[in-house]
PDB file of all heavy atoms in Angstrom:
ATOM      1  N   LEU A 122      87.283  90.685  95.797  1.00 98.00           N
ATOM      2  CA  LEU A 122      88.470  89.892  96.230  1.00 98.00           C
ATOM      3  C   LEU A 122      89.718  90.378  95.525  1.00 98.00           C
ATOM      4  O   LEU A 122      89.807  90.250  94.277  1.00 98.00           O
ATOM      5  CB  LEU A 122      88.202  88.433  95.972  1.00 98.00           C
ATOM      6  CG  LEU A 122      89.231  87.482  96.574  1.00 98.00           C
ATOM      7  CD1 LEU A 122      89.023  87.403  98.090  1.00 98.00           C
ATOM      8  CD2 LEU A 122      89.110  86.107  95.940  1.00 98.00           C
ATOM      9  N   LYS A 123      90.644  90.907  96.255  1.00 98.00           N
ATOM     10  CA  LYS A 123      91.836  91.477  95.627  1.00 98.00           C
ATOM     11  C   LYS A 123      92.873  90.370  95.419  1.00 98.00           C
ATOM     12  O   LYS A 123      93.229  89.606  96.387  1.00 98.00           O
ATOM     13  CB  LYS A 123      92.413  92.577  96.489  1.00 98.00           C
ATOM     14  CG  LYS A 123      93.631  93.241  95.844  1.00 98.00           C
ATOM     15  CD  LYS A 123      93.363  94.694  95.603  1.00 98.00           C
ATOM     16  CE  LYS A 123      94.439  95.331  94.796  1.00 98.00           C
ATOM     17  NZ  LYS A 123      94.524  96.794  94.980  1.00 98.00           N
ATOM     18  N   ILE A 124      93.375  90.252  94.186  1.00 98.00           N
ATOM     19  CA  ILE A 124      94.328  89.223  93.846  1.00 98.00           C
ATOM     20  C   ILE A 124      95.663  89.969  93.501  1.00 98.00           C
ATOM     21  O   ILE A 124      95.696  90.883  92.703  1.00 98.00           O
ATOM     22  CB  ILE A 124      93.850  88.375  92.610  1.00 98.00           C
ATOM     23  CG1 ILE A 124      92.525  87.745  92.962  1.00 98.00           C
ATOM     24  CG2 ILE A 124      94.863  87.325  92.264  1.00 98.00           C
ATOM     25  CD1 ILE A 124      91.790  87.138  91.730  1.00 98.00           C
ATOM     26  N   ASP A 125      96.741  89.483  94.099  1.00 98.00           N
ATOM     27  CA  ASP A 125      98.041  90.075  93.882  1.00 98.00           C
ATOM     28  C   ASP A 125      98.652  89.470  92.601  1.00 98.00           C
ATOM     29  O   ASP A 125      99.205  88.357  92.621  1.00 98.00           O
ATOM     30  CB  ASP A 125      98.933  89.911  95.072  1.00 98.00           C
ATOM     31  CG  ASP A 125     100.277  90.566  94.865  1.00 98.00           C
ATOM     32  OD1 ASP A 125     100.533  91.227  93.861  1.00 98.00           O
ATOM     33  OD2 ASP A 125     101.123  90.401  95.779  1.00 98.00           O
ATOM     34  N   THR A 126      98.542  90.145  91.536  1.00 98.00           N
ATOM     35  CA  THR A 126      99.007  89.587  90.253  1.00 98.00           C
ATOM     36  C   THR A 126     100.474  90.059  89.929  1.00 98.00           C
ATOM     37  O   THR A 126     101.004  89.772  88.881  1.00 98.00           O
ATOM     38  CB  THR A 126      98.102  89.993  89.076  1.00 98.00           C
ATOM     39  OG1 THR A 126      97.960  91.419  89.081  1.00 98.00           O
ATOM     40  CG2 THR A 126      96.773  89.315  89.135  1.00 98.00           C
ATOM     41  N   GLY A 127     101.039  90.777  90.877  1.00 97.00           N
ATOM     42  CA  GLY A 127     102.437  91.179  90.613  1.00 97.00           C
ATOM     43  C   GLY A 127     102.793  92.611  91.097  1.00 97.00           C
ATOM     44  O   GLY A 127     103.977  92.986  91.020  1.00 97.00           O
ATOM     45  N   MET A 128     101.798  93.361  91.564  1.00 97.00           N
ATOM     46  CA  MET A 128     102.180  94.679  92.117  1.00 97.00           C
ATOM     47  C   MET A 128     102.760  94.556  93.497  1.00 97.00           C
ATOM     48  O   MET A 128     103.479  95.417  93.964  1.00 97.00           O
ATOM     49  CB  MET A 128     100.932  95.587  92.091  1.00 97.00           C
ATOM     50  CG  MET A 128     101.255  97.024  92.452  1.00 97.00           C
ATOM     51  SD  MET A 128     100.028  98.126  91.873  1.00 97.00           S
ATOM     52  CE  MET A 128     100.655  99.667  92.448  1.00 97.00           C
ATOM     53  N   HIS A 129     102.347  93.457  94.220  1.00 97.00           N
ATOM     54  CA  HIS A 129     102.894  93.165  95.502  1.00 97.00           C
ATOM     55  C   HIS A 129     102.675  94.249  96.542  1.00 97.00           C
ATOM     56  O   HIS A 129     103.561  94.736  97.221  1.00 97.00           O
ATOM     57  CB  HIS A 129     104.411  92.805  95.433  1.00 97.00           C
ATOM     58  CG  HIS A 129     104.663  91.595  94.538  1.00 97.00           C
ATOM     59  ND1 HIS A 129     103.797  90.519  94.473  1.00 97.00           N
ATOM     60  CD2 HIS A 129     105.622  91.355  93.634  1.00 97.00           C
ATOM     61  CE1 HIS A 129     104.286  89.665  93.602  1.00 97.00           C
ATOM     62  NE2 HIS A 129     105.357  90.155  93.076  1.00 97.00           N
ATOM     63  N   ARG A 130     101.392  94.727  96.499  1.00 97.00           N
ATOM     64  CA  ARG A 130     101.021  95.764  97.492  1.00 97.00           C
ATOM     65  C   ARG A 130      99.946  95.211  98.366  1.00 97.00           C
ATOM     66  O   ARG A 130     100.019  95.191  99.580  1.00 97.00           O
ATOM     67  CB  ARG A 130     100.527  97.013  96.689  1.00 97.00           C
ATOM     68  CG  ARG A 130     100.456  98.274  97.447  1.00 97.00           C
ATOM     69  CD  ARG A 130     100.156  99.461  96.556  1.00 97.00           C
ATOM     70  NE  ARG A 130      98.859  99.386  95.892  1.00 97.00           N
ATOM     71  CZ  ARG A 130      98.303 100.427  95.232  1.00 97.00           C
ATOM     72  NH1 ARG A 130      98.919 101.586  95.204  1.00 97.00           N
ATOM     73  NH2 ARG A 130      97.161 100.305  94.620  1.00 97.00           N
ATOM     74  N   LEU A 131      98.881  94.690  97.734  1.00 98.00           N
ATOM     75  CA  LEU A 131      97.772  94.084  98.488  1.00 98.00           C
ATOM     76  C   LEU A 131      97.266  92.894  97.688  1.00 98.00           C
ATOM     77  O   LEU A 131      97.393  92.842  96.487  1.00 98.00           O
ATOM     78  CB  LEU A 131      96.586  95.024  98.634  1.00 98.00           C
ATOM     79  CG  LEU A 131      96.657  96.242  99.503  1.00 98.00           C
ATOM     80  CD1 LEU A 131      95.324  97.015  99.454  1.00 98.00           C
ATOM     81  CD2 LEU A 131      97.018  95.901 100.914  1.00 98.00           C
ATOM     82  N   GLY A 132      96.612  91.926  98.435  1.00 98.00           N
ATOM     83  CA  GLY A 132      95.941  90.851  97.676  1.00 98.00           C
ATOM     84  C   GLY A 132      96.366  89.447  98.063  1.00 98.00           C
ATOM     85  O   GLY A 132      97.431  89.232  98.585  1.00 98.00           O
ATOM     86  N   PHE A 133      95.498  88.535  97.718  1.00 98.00           N
ATOM     87  CA  PHE A 133      95.753  87.122  97.937  1.00 98.00           C
ATOM     88  C   PHE A 133      96.554  86.548  96.776  1.00 98.00           C
ATOM     89  O   PHE A 133      96.536  87.137  95.658  1.00 98.00           O
ATOM     90  CB  PHE A 133      94.428  86.337  98.066  1.00 98.00           C
ATOM     91  CG  PHE A 133      93.647  86.676  99.282  1.00 98.00           C
ATOM     92  CD1 PHE A 133      92.617  87.590  99.233  1.00 98.00           C
ATOM     93  CD2 PHE A 133      93.990  86.172 100.526  1.00 98.00           C
ATOM     94  CE1 PHE A 133      91.867  87.917 100.387  1.00 98.00           C
ATOM     95  CE2 PHE A 133      93.311  86.476 101.662  1.00 98.00           C
ATOM     96  CZ  PHE A 133      92.219  87.361 101.574  1.00 98.00           C
ATOM     97  N   GLN A 134      97.245  85.462  97.011  1.00 98.00           N
ATOM     98  CA  GLN A 134      97.956  84.782  95.931  1.00 98.00           C
ATOM     99  C   GLN A 134      96.937  84.307  94.886  1.00 98.00           C
ATOM    100  O   GLN A 134      95.809  83.816  95.255  1.00 98.00           O
ATOM    101  CB  GLN A 134      98.688  83.549  96.502  1.00 98.00           C
ATOM    102  CG  GLN A 134      99.854  83.890  97.395  1.00 98.00           C
ATOM    103  CD  GLN A 134     100.845  84.777  96.711  1.00 98.00           C
ATOM    104  OE1 GLN A 134     101.308  84.494  95.621  1.00 98.00           O
ATOM    105  NE2 GLN A 134     101.206  85.897  97.337  1.00 98.00           N
ATOM    106  N   PRO A 135      97.268  84.406  93.616  1.00 98.00           N
ATOM    107  CA  PRO A 135      96.344  83.983  92.572  1.00 98.00           C
ATOM    108  C   PRO A 135      95.786  82.577  92.779  1.00 98.00           C
ATOM    109  O   PRO A 135      94.565  82.351  92.514  1.00 98.00           O
ATOM    110  CB  PRO A 135      97.208  84.074  91.313  1.00 98.00           C
ATOM    111  CG  PRO A 135      98.220  85.121  91.622  1.00 98.00           C
ATOM    112  CD  PRO A 135      98.527  85.002  93.081  1.00 98.00           C
TER     113      PRO A 135
END
Side-chain angles (χ1 to χ4, degrees):
L122 189 73
K123 183 118 188 203
I124 303 170
D125 183 3
T126 53
M128 188 159 178
H129 301 323
R130 196 171 62 167
L131 290 180
F133 293 100
Q134 291 304 309

